[in-house]
Amino acid sequence: MTSVREDDQLEALVPPTDEDPVAASASEVIGGPLGRRAETGAHRWWNPLRVLVILVIGMFALGMVQKLPCYNSGWFQPGDAQYIHACYSDIPHLFGGRGFSTGIVPYFDRIPDEVSTDFHYLEYPVLTGLFMEVASWFTPDGGSEQHREQIYWLVNAGMLMVCAVALVVCVARTHRRRPWDALLVALSPALALSATINWDLFAVALTAGAMLLWSRSRPLAAGILLGLATAAKLYPLLLLGALFVLCLRAGRLRAFWTAVAGAVGAWLVVNLPVILLARDGWAKFYSFSQERRIDYGSIWLVISQQTGEPLDGVNSYAVALMLLLCAAIAGLALYAPRRPRFAQLAFLVVAAIVVANKVYSPQYVLWLLPLAVLARPRWRDFLVWQGSQVLYFLGIWMQLAYVTGGNKHHGLPQDGYHLAIVIHLLGTLYLCGVVVRDILLPERDVVRWDGEDDPSGGVLDGAPDVFVLGRAHEPRHAAPFVGTPVEWGVERREPAGQRAVEGGGAATAAETG
């Protein structure tokens, strides 16, 4: 029997059909939006978390089915078959190409020339290398090389499915009253298509866990997970920059430095033994990242190929653009009339590296996925962004099919691929623009419509400001609004058709409050 406290918690949840027109319209398939007198606690087993886990497992399985043409033959045949079917994955290729099939210990053992002429050590961070190595332990020694590569991919897919489940659970629990926002992650087409291309989902799940722990005001534990995530992929380090600016504004730097201590300690625990015992192997990831030239997916590739310039200084250009964008984001965070939410700033800084980087692999969309959902849990904007990413996913494989197919020229020529890159960048910038608008006009932020401040902010949630930039406003937490003010803290429970809609402004929000 459901306890009174559990009933209260279920009643406090924000149904997506109450505030999202797209969700309300889609809900007609199953009977329409939740009614006023609906018994939300009547079926305890079918709580949001269990439903979300089942859905993400189903979507992940569909993504595995999409890889079947490659699993059966495409990965093991020369030519463009794996690109024509858009089912390429690094995982089976690197099983033999980085020596896992022969028992080579990553970082410590040099990869022989007959195995790889380009890489003599694994070019991945240490914790991702450990993930790859563990998967090889569960891959049988007997059988053909093709069979072993198939099993290796299946083992990795199973481990990555666990990461996908963990990701959805963490996103669902970060905003306590909004677990259904994680439905955007669970049903993400980009997640299904990209989850088993590479091992990025491991770092994404660790990062989502760090954000969950930070939202529970546990900065040390959050820092530890963030350090582990950085040991698996470098981009989670950017979240510390976002936290620094927010903690500076809120006067919570002690919590920030606690998180930094946890992150540094966890990163050293993973990396220091390899640094001391296998420095050359450990350094390969960092030297490869530095030496890597312009590659697929970046705006620099479009500029280089359209102008015919090699852009030899692309490292400097990318770093300069990244620093410029981060400075603008920091200025926005310190100048905004109301302190941005942690998820909003985290999304913007990771989007900055996606825009500025000299390579954009199709699985990098996973970096942004949980951050986008927590920053802007709105189906319309999410689907616009996801659509741009799916188009890019198809575009890069069709481009590779074109360049590897010989005289057949199946696929997408260079100009078409450049258009796919521009579409993916415009989709990302569109979502960034909406998030920036929510920061500058906090009454447009759907997460704050029911009176919440920053449910992912932890020690930042509800904290008064102590430092802001400019003279447009004094240091304070809430921002004034000219016109009918939003009544922060007043929960709106009207049906979706009566709720404030996009473009309705604060007056509509207040009237429906």
Side-chain angles (χ1 to χ4, degrees), residues 15 68 162 246 475 492 511:
L68 272 180
V162 174
L246 294 173
R492 302 180 308 161
E511 289 164 5

Side-chain angles (χ1 to χ4, degrees), residues 60 128 130-138 152-166 195-196 199 201-202 205:
F60 195 99
T128 296
L130 178 61
F131 189 98
M132 300 162 73
E133 174 72 3
V134 170
S136 72
W137 297 344
F138 294 97
Y152 185 67
W153 181 81
L154 285 174
V155 171
N156 276 279
M159 294 168 66
L160 290 170
M161 182 182 287
V162 174
C163 294
V165 170
T196 58
W199 294 269
L201 193 55
F202 179 43

Side-chain angles (χ1 to χ4, degrees), residues 95-115:
F95 177 63
R98 297 300 179 269
F100 291 103
S101 61
T102 58
I104 287 177
V105 179
Y107 313 110
F108 292 85
D109 294 338
R110 193 176 188 275
I111 302 171
D113 291 338
E114 57 269 20
V115 174

Side-chain angles (χ1 to χ4, degrees), residues 25-239:
S25 299
S27 70
E28 296 296 339
V29 177
I30 57 173
L34 190 69
R36 291 175 179 269
R37 301 182 183 278
E39 293 290 340
T40 56
H43 302 284
R44 280 187 59 195
W45 196 91
W46 288 105
N47 61 38
L49 210 56
R50 290 192 177 101
V51 173
L52 290 166
V53 168
I54 292 171
L55 289 174
V56 74
I57 291 175
M59 286 296 290
F60 195 99
L62 287 176
M64 294 178 67
V65 171
Q66 189 265 336
K67 300 294 187 290
L68 272 180
C70 283
Y71 180 86
N72 291 330
S73 59
W75 290 329
F76 317 106
Q77 294 177 346
D80 58 1
Q82 59 186 334
Y83 305 128
I84 288 292
H85 293 287
C87 54
Y88 173 85
S89 172
D90 287 327
I91 294 172
H93 295 296
L94 296 190
F95 177 63
R98 297 300 179 269
F100 291 103
S101 61
T102 58
I104 287 177
V105 179
Y107 313 110
F108 292 85
D109 294 338
R110 193 176 188 275
I111 302 171
D113 291 338
E114 57 269 20
V115 174
S116 173
T117 57
D118 297 324
F119 295 93
H120 297 303
Y121 293 101
L122 185 65
E123 73 280 18
Y124 285 83
V126 170
L127 204 57
T128 296
L130 178 61
F131 189 98
M132 300 162 73
E133 174 72 3
V134 170
S136 72
W137 297 344
F138 294 97
T139 303
D141 293 332
S144 66
E145 186 73 7
Q146 175 176 327
H147 177 70
R148 296 186 68 206
E149 289 180 358
Q150 289 172 323
I151 298 299
Y152 185 67
W153 181 81
L154 285 174
V155 171
N156 276 279
M159 294 168 66
L160 290 170
M161 182 182 287
V162 174
C163 294
V165 170
L167 169 63
V168 168
V169 170
C170 290
V171 172
R173 299 188 66 184
T174 297
H175 292 173
R176 292 178 186 269
R177 298 189 62 238
R178 305 180 61 92
W180 287 114
D181 289 346
L183 191 63
L184 281 74
V185 178
L187 298 181
S188 165
L191 173 65
L193 293 171
S194 305
T196 58
I197 293 177
N198 201 280
W199 294 269
D200 294 65
L201 193 55
F202 179 43
V204 173
L206 289 171
T207 304
M211 294 190 69
L212 171 62
L213 289 171
W214 179 269
S215 73
R216 298 297 189 263
S217 299
R218 299 174 62 185
L220 180 61
I224 290 172
L225 271 191
L226 204 56
L228 293 176
T230 305
K233 206 74 180 180
L234 200 55
Y235 86 91
L237 182 65
L238 296 172
L239 270 64

Side-chain angles (χ1 to χ4, degrees), residues 241-288:
L243 283 176
F244 172 74
V245 176
L246 294 173
C247 290
L248 175 65
R249 177 163 175 166
R252 294 293 190 268
L253 286 175
R254 180 176 180 180
F256 167 75
W257 291 118
T258 300
V260 169
V264 172
W267 187 89
L268 286 175
V269 166
V270 172
N271 284 270
L272 194 57
V274 186
I275 294 174
L276 296 176
L277 300 176
R279 185 174 181 82
D280 290 343
W282 172 85
K284 180 59 183 177
F285 164 71
Y286 301 95
S287 62
F288 172 69

Side-chain angles (χ1 to χ4, degrees), residues 339-398:
R339 188 174 60 248
R341 294 186 288 109
F342 174 34
Q344 291 174 321
L345 220 61
F347 170 78
L348 290 178
V349 295
V350 176
I353 195 173
V354 164
V355 171
N357 205 7
K358 56 187 176 181
V359 59
Y360 180 77
S361 298
Q363 72 273 11
Y364 289 2
V365 64
L366 300 174
W367 301 0
L368 287 172
L369 181 58
L371 307 177
V373 170
L374 293 172
R376 179 65 180 171
R378 198 68 160 171
W379 275 102
R380 182 200 66 187
D381 302 320
F382 181 76
L383 291 175
V384 169
W385 173 61
Q386 286 283 284
S388 70
Q389 302 308 304
V390 171
L391 284 174
Y392 177 74
F393 175 88
L394 297 174
I396 186 171
W397 303 132
M398 293 305 101

